[in-house]
Amino acid sequence: RLVAAAQRTVGCFDLTTGALQWATTNAWGRPDGCPPVATGNRLYILRGADLSASDVETGATLWKMDVTNSLGASARLHFVQGDLLMFRKSTTETNMQFHALSAKDGSPLWTFATVRPKSVAYAGDQPFYASGLVWINDWDDKGKMLWKGLKPADGAVSKTFVSPVGGIGCHPMLVTDRFAIGRRPSHFMSWEDGKAYDNPGMRGACRQAPYGLANGQICLQQCNVPFG
């Protein structure tokens, strides 16, 4: 099945025939464009302060709840992992809150807050799931950027690494289960021990030369760099 979303409609299509199996209207429409997230046979939709879970096969709503108190109306759903719904919310220009909710019923599990130094124009405010942990950028009292690995069950910090770069920059990170991969400046960082590896062959101009992961390689224009 293919689940697709327009501004106020979510539809499910048969991958073989392209036939529409079901559709819901006015399902979302957040001003910031927070899209639905599908995983397994569940579809999670955040619209305003209403969070819902639907059955992908039928479109039937399984549960729905008001998350005004736990999230407010400006959060963004980033990923679903097991029983974890991971949200990010900006409270000020530099302050971030990361909220973990239960995928079973939307109940709050834990919250983690960060404060980014004002001197950093770009930062890695997006949470990732890799190597069994939720990874979030934080900052020490000297302004150094950190990677913190949080346990999905309770949000306790399990690992902390000093980032090999001062900020993520305008290129988004790529994440595998083994590495965090940055483009500007170009580097690999191991989720196992935080060891960083330079890769000068990937450096490019800001906001140019998009790159991605495919078939075990980093694809950058006409260059393929194996990452193992």
Side-chain angles (χ1 to χ4, degrees):
R1 295 177 179 84
L2 171 67
V3 176
Q7 185 175 5
R8 294 188 178 276
T9 304
V10 176
C12 181
F13 300 85
D14 186 285
L15 279 177
T16 303
T17 66
L20 178 65
Q21 295 184 322
W22 57 262
T24 60
T25 58
N26 201 29
W28 65 301
R30 287 275 301 278
D32 60 359
C34 181
V37 175
T39 179
N41 64 342
R42 295 290 182 267
L43 175 69
Y44 299 94
I45 300 173
L46 178 63
R47 180 177 182 269
D50 291 327
L51 176 64
S52 65
S54 301
D55 188 295
V56 170
E57 186 173 340
T58 65
T61 300
L62 302 175
W63 54 259
K64 182 178 180 180
M65 69 177 302
D66 187 325
V67 291
T68 300
N69 293 331
S70 56
L71 292 180
S74 62
R76 177 179 290 269
L77 176 57
H78 279 275
F79 65 79
V80 182
Q81 177 65 39
D83 184 39
L84 192 73
L85 299 173
M86 195 70 226
F87 296 85
R88 182 194 69 176
K89 177 182 178 180
S90 302
T91 54
T92 67
E93 183 180 354
T94 58
N95 292 20
M96 290 285 171
Q97 289 182 351
F98 299 87
H99 297 268
L101 273 61
S102 170
K104 294 179 180 179
D105 56 14
S107 58
L109 297 177
W110 50 266
T111 299
F112 190 87
T114 66
V115 179
R116 170 164 46 92
K118 293 182 179 181
S119 60
V120 179
Y122 296 93
D125 293 327
Q126 178 178 347
F128 300 101
Y129 182 85
S131 193
L133 297 174
V134 177
W135 292 93
I136 292 172
N137 282 131
D138 200 1
W139 309 85
D140 66 13
D141 54 5
K142 296 181 180 179
K144 290 184 178 180
M145 191 173 80
L146 308 173
W147 282 102
K148 290 189 175 180
L150 282 57
K151 295 180 180 179
D154 57 11
V157 177
S158 177
K159 292 183 177 181
T160 299
F161 302 135
V162 176
S163 172
V165 297
I168 298 303
C170 50
H171 286 283
M173 296 289 294
L174 296 179
V175 172
T176 73
D177 208 44
R178 294 180 59 194
F179 295 107
I181 306 168
R183 169 75 192 288
R184 185 177 175 89
S186 175
H187 67 280
F188 291 60
M189 190 198 75
S190 169
W191 294 126
E192 178 64 27
D193 55 13
K195 185 176 181 180
Y197 307 84
D198 292 332
N199 185 22
M202 283 177 56
R203 184 173 177 83
C206 188
R207 295 188 178 90
Q208 294 181 4
Y211 68 135
L213 297 174
N215 300 321
Q217 295 180 318
I218 300 173
C219 300
L220 171 64
Q221 290 185 332
Q222 296 181 356
C223 300
N224 295 329
V225 183
F227 62 85

